[in-house]
Amino acid sequence: MDTKEQILETSLSLFAKKGYVATSVRDIGKYVGIKDSSLYFHFKNKQAIMESLKDKFIERSNMSVENIRQGIQKITCMKDEIFLNVTIGYIESYLMEPFINKFIRVLIHEQGDNKESRNLYQEWCIRNPVVFQTELIIKLQEIGFLKKMDPKYLAEAYYSPIFLYFNEHMTYDEEIEKQKKQFLNRVQNHVNLYLKEYEV
Protein backbone atom coordinates (compact mmCIF):
# COMPACT_ATOMS: atom_id res chain seq x y z
CA MET A 1 0.00 0.00 0.00
CA ASP A 2 1.46 3.38 -0.98
CA THR A 3 1.56 6.37 1.35
CA LYS A 4 -1.50 8.05 -0.15
CA GLU A 5 -3.62 4.95 0.42
CA GLN A 6 -2.23 4.64 3.94
CA ILE A 7 -3.30 8.23 4.63
CA LEU A 8 -6.81 7.53 3.34
CA GLU A 9 -7.18 4.27 5.26
CA THR A 10 -5.86 5.77 8.49
CA SER A 11 -7.97 8.90 8.12
CA LEU A 12 -11.09 6.83 7.55
CA SER A 13 -10.46 4.78 10.70
CA LEU A 14 -9.80 7.89 12.79
CA PHE A 15 -12.78 9.80 11.37
CA ALA A 16 -15.01 6.80 12.08
CA LYS A 17 -13.78 6.50 15.65
CA LYS A 18 -13.26 10.13 16.71
CA GLY A 19 -15.15 12.12 14.11
CA TYR A 20 -13.80 14.31 11.32
CA VAL A 21 -13.69 17.51 13.38
CA ALA A 22 -11.97 15.84 16.35
CA THR A 23 -9.23 14.31 14.17
CA SER A 24 -6.26 16.53 13.36
CA VAL A 25 -3.76 16.30 10.52
CA ARG A 26 -1.16 15.66 13.20
CA ASP A 27 -3.19 12.65 14.42
CA ILE A 28 -3.29 11.24 10.91
CA GLY A 29 0.43 11.77 10.33
CA LYS A 30 1.26 10.16 13.67
CA TYR A 31 -0.67 6.97 12.89
CA VAL A 32 0.67 6.77 9.35
CA GLY A 33 4.20 7.41 10.61
CA ILE A 34 4.93 10.57 8.61
CA LYS A 35 5.35 14.27 9.36
CA ASP A 36 2.57 16.79 8.68
CA SER A 37 4.60 18.28 5.86
CA SER A 38 4.82 14.88 4.14
CA LEU A 39 1.04 14.46 4.36
CA TYR A 40 0.53 17.80 2.60
CA PHE A 41 2.55 16.44 -0.30
CA HIS A 42 -0.33 14.02 -0.97
CA PHE A 43 -3.35 16.10 0.12
CA LYS A 44 -3.87 19.86 0.25
CA ASN A 45 -5.61 19.65 3.64
CA LYS A 46 -7.85 17.48 5.80
CA GLN A 47 -10.91 18.45 3.75
CA ALA A 48 -9.23 17.08 0.62
CA ILE A 49 -8.81 13.73 2.40
CA MET A 50 -12.49 13.76 3.31
CA GLU A 51 -13.48 14.61 -0.26
CA SER A 52 -11.41 11.71 -1.59
CA LEU A 53 -13.07 9.33 0.88
CA LYS A 54 -16.49 10.70 -0.01
CA ASP A 55 -15.90 10.18 -3.73
CA LYS A 56 -14.80 6.60 -3.08
CA PHE A 57 -17.89 5.99 -0.93
CA ILE A 58 -20.24 7.31 -3.60
CA GLU A 59 -18.50 5.29 -6.31
CA ARG A 60 -18.74 2.06 -4.32
CA SER A 61 -22.34 2.78 -3.31
CA ASN A 62 -23.38 3.41 -6.91
CA MET A 63 -21.67 0.21 -7.98
CA SER A 64 -23.46 -1.75 -5.25
CA VAL A 65 -26.85 -0.36 -6.27
CA GLU A 66 -26.19 -1.10 -9.94
CA ASN A 67 -25.28 -4.70 -9.12
CA ILE A 68 -28.47 -5.05 -7.08
CA ARG A 69 -30.60 -3.62 -9.88
CA GLN A 70 -29.06 -6.01 -12.39
CA GLY A 71 -29.80 -8.87 -10.01
CA ILE A 72 -33.42 -7.77 -9.60
CA GLN A 73 -33.96 -7.88 -13.36
CA LYS A 74 -32.83 -11.52 -13.47
CA ILE A 75 -35.29 -12.75 -10.83
CA THR A 76 -37.83 -15.24 -12.20
CA CYS A 77 -38.67 -17.14 -9.01
CA MET A 78 -38.05 -16.85 -5.29
CA LYS A 79 -37.85 -19.08 -2.22
CA ASP A 80 -37.62 -18.18 1.46
CA GLU A 81 -33.98 -19.24 1.80
CA ILE A 82 -33.00 -17.31 -1.32
CA PHE A 83 -34.76 -14.20 -0.01
CA LEU A 84 -32.79 -14.52 3.25
CA ASN A 85 -29.54 -15.06 1.32
CA VAL A 86 -30.22 -11.95 -0.78
CA THR A 87 -30.76 -9.97 2.42
CA ILE A 88 -27.56 -11.24 4.04
CA GLY A 89 -25.67 -10.69 0.78
CA TYR A 90 -26.72 -7.03 0.70
CA ILE A 91 -25.74 -6.55 4.32
CA GLU A 92 -22.34 -8.20 3.95
CA SER A 93 -21.48 -6.49 0.66
CA TYR A 94 -22.68 -3.04 1.73
CA LEU A 95 -23.54 -2.25 5.35
CA MET A 96 -20.82 -4.56 6.72
CA GLU A 97 -18.23 -3.95 3.98
CA PRO A 98 -15.30 -2.41 5.92
CA PHE A 99 -14.87 0.80 3.91
CA ILE A 100 -18.60 1.46 3.54
CA ASN A 101 -19.25 0.67 7.20
CA LYS A 102 -16.55 3.06 8.42
CA PHE A 103 -17.66 5.86 6.13
CA ILE A 104 -21.27 5.51 7.31
CA ARG A 105 -19.94 5.88 10.84
CA VAL A 106 -18.13 9.06 9.76
CA LEU A 107 -21.43 10.41 8.41
CA ILE A 108 -23.19 9.51 11.67
CA HIS A 109 -20.58 11.56 13.56
CA GLU A 110 -20.76 14.55 11.25
CA GLN A 111 -24.40 14.83 10.16
CA GLY A 112 -25.41 16.95 13.14
CA ASP A 113 -23.15 19.86 12.16
CA ASN A 114 -22.57 19.27 8.46
CA LYS A 115 -25.41 19.56 5.97
CA GLU A 116 -23.54 17.73 3.21
CA SER A 117 -22.81 14.79 5.52
CA ARG A 118 -26.45 14.75 6.64
CA ASN A 119 -27.67 14.70 3.04
CA LEU A 120 -25.20 11.98 2.10
CA TYR A 121 -26.25 9.89 5.10
CA GLN A 122 -29.96 10.23 4.29
CA GLU A 123 -29.39 9.57 0.60
CA TRP A 124 -27.32 6.38 0.95
CA CYS A 125 -28.63 4.97 4.23
CA ILE A 126 -32.33 5.81 3.95
CA ARG A 127 -33.66 7.09 0.63
CA ASN A 128 -31.71 5.04 -1.91
CA PRO A 129 -32.10 1.72 -0.05
CA VAL A 130 -35.86 2.21 0.11
CA VAL A 131 -35.96 3.07 -3.62
CA PHE A 132 -34.12 -0.01 -4.87
CA GLN A 133 -35.80 -2.26 -2.32
CA THR A 134 -39.15 -0.99 -3.55
CA GLU A 135 -38.04 -2.10 -7.02
CA LEU A 136 -37.24 -5.53 -5.55
CA ILE A 137 -40.64 -5.72 -3.83
CA ILE A 138 -42.43 -4.86 -7.09
CA LYS A 139 -40.53 -7.62 -8.88
CA LEU A 140 -41.40 -10.12 -6.14
CA GLN A 141 -45.06 -9.09 -6.36
CA GLU A 142 -45.01 -9.57 -10.13
CA ILE A 143 -43.77 -13.16 -9.78
CA GLY A 144 -46.33 -13.92 -7.06
CA PHE A 145 -43.96 -14.19 -4.09
CA LEU A 146 -45.20 -11.23 -2.02
CA LYS A 147 -48.70 -9.88 -1.39
CA LYS A 148 -50.07 -7.13 -3.62
CA MET A 149 -49.81 -4.19 -1.23
CA ASP A 150 -48.20 -0.75 -1.42
CA PRO A 151 -44.64 -1.73 -2.46
CA LYS A 152 -43.01 1.28 -0.79
CA TYR A 153 -44.70 0.36 2.49
CA LEU A 154 -43.46 -3.23 2.15
CA ALA A 155 -39.95 -1.97 1.38
CA GLU A 156 -39.98 0.25 4.46
CA ALA A 157 -41.34 -2.60 6.60
CA TYR A 158 -38.51 -4.78 5.31
CA TYR A 159 -35.65 -2.27 5.60
CA SER A 160 -36.50 -0.32 8.76
CA PRO A 161 -35.71 -3.10 11.30
CA ILE A 162 -32.52 -3.99 9.39
CA PHE A 163 -31.31 -0.41 9.57
CA LEU A 164 -32.32 -0.16 13.23
CA TYR A 165 -30.34 -3.30 14.07
CA PHE A 166 -27.41 -2.03 12.01
CA ASN A 167 -27.28 1.18 14.03
CA GLU A 168 -27.55 -0.73 17.29
CA HIS A 169 -24.83 -3.30 16.55
CA MET A 170 -22.56 -2.15 13.72
CA THR A 171 -21.65 1.50 14.30
CA TYR A 172 -18.84 1.10 16.82
CA ASP A 173 -15.76 -1.09 17.33
CA GLU A 174 -16.47 -2.80 20.65
CA GLU A 175 -16.74 -6.62 20.45
CA ILE A 176 -17.31 -6.30 16.72
CA GLU A 177 -17.48 -10.03 15.93
CA LYS A 178 -20.02 -10.59 18.69
CA GLN A 179 -22.02 -7.62 17.44
CA LYS A 180 -21.96 -8.93 13.86
CA LYS A 181 -23.34 -12.28 15.00
CA GLN A 182 -26.12 -10.65 17.01
CA PHE A 183 -26.93 -8.32 14.12
CA LEU A 184 -27.23 -11.14 11.58
CA ASN A 185 -29.28 -13.28 13.98
CA ARG A 186 -31.76 -10.46 14.48
CA VAL A 187 -31.93 -9.86 10.73
CA GLN A 188 -32.67 -13.52 10.10
CA ASN A 189 -35.45 -13.48 12.68
CA HIS A 190 -36.88 -10.31 11.14
CA VAL A 191 -36.85 -11.81 7.62
CA ASN A 192 -38.69 -14.91 8.85
CA LEU A 193 -41.38 -12.78 10.51
CA TYR A 194 -41.60 -10.52 7.47
CA LEU A 195 -42.23 -13.47 5.16
CA LYS A 196 -44.88 -14.88 7.48
CA GLU A 197 -46.70 -11.57 7.25
CA TYR A 198 -46.28 -10.65 3.58
CA GLU A 199 -45.45 -13.77 1.59
CA VAL A 200 -48.26 -15.07 -0.62
Side-chain angles (χ1 to χ4, degrees), residues 24-124:
S24 68
V25 170
R26 180 172 293 179
D27 292 333
I28 298 167
K30 177 184 174 182
Y31 279 91
V32 174
I34 60 175
K35 295 180 179 180
D36 297 2
S37 56
S38 298
L39 188 146
Y40 290 124
F41 175 78
H42 298 280
F43 293 96
K44 180 180 178 181
N45 50 34
K46 188 173 72 167
Q47 183 60 37
I49 297 173
M50 183 65 167
E51 288 297 318
S52 184
L53 291 170
K54 182 189 76 173
D55 291 345
K56 190 174 181 180
F57 171 76
I58 292 172
E59 180 183 0
R60 289 194 180 189
S61 296
N62 277 320
M63 189 179 304
S64 178
V65 170
E66 182 57 30
N67 289 338
I68 290 168
R69 286 201 163 111
Q70 289 179 11
I72 290 172
Q73 295 305 313
K74 296 176 183 177
I75 294 174
T76 57
C77 63
M78 183 58 64
K79 295 180 180 179
D80 291 8
E81 62 267 25
I82 296 176
F83 186 80
L84 175 60
N85 288 339
V86 168
T87 302
I88 299 301
Y90 164 71
I91 288 170
E92 290 181 339
S93 66
Y94 192 71
L95 293 177
M96 287 172 56
E97 193 278 327
F99 178 88
I100 296 291
N101 181 272
K102 285 182 181 179
F103 196 82
I104 289 174
R105 288 156 59 189
V106 175
L107 295 178
I108 290 171
H109 273 293
E110 302 309 316
Q111 64 173 323
D113 297 321
N114 186 299
K115 185 176 180 181
E116 184 180 7
S117 293
R118 182 163 59 252
N119 288 339
L120 206 58
Y121 176 80
Q122 291 177 353
E123 179 181 2
W124 287 107

